[in-house]
Amino acid sequence: MSYFRITLHRSGIGLPKRTRGVLAALGLRKRCQTVFHPVTPDSAGMIMKVKELVAVREVAEPLTTRQLRDERRPEPGFWVERAVPR
């Protein structure tokens, strides 16, 4: 079964109550929050109502909260061993 990965990119502040209700029905409250919903006509209809505010990808399976957090973590790069003298 495939899922929609829905991420809220723009806030619903200042939008009509009906649009904010669709965001609440999808489970989106904060910007950059990601939720997963099964691919159904109902979910697709709600996404179409707020398509300007969200980014949607179709994935094979939903990720856990831990996997989402690890996905956002940056690659280990360089670090400063000591401060530069000024």
Side-chain angles (χ1 to χ4, degrees), residues 2-27:
S2 59
Y3 291 86
F4 286 128
R5 177 183 176 155
I6 309 164
T7 304
L8 183 61
H9 280 292
R10 299 199 50 177
S11 174
I13 295 174
L15 294 175
K17 192 171 187 177
R18 184 174 183 156
T19 305
R20 286 181 287 161
V22 172
L23 290 175
L26 286 170

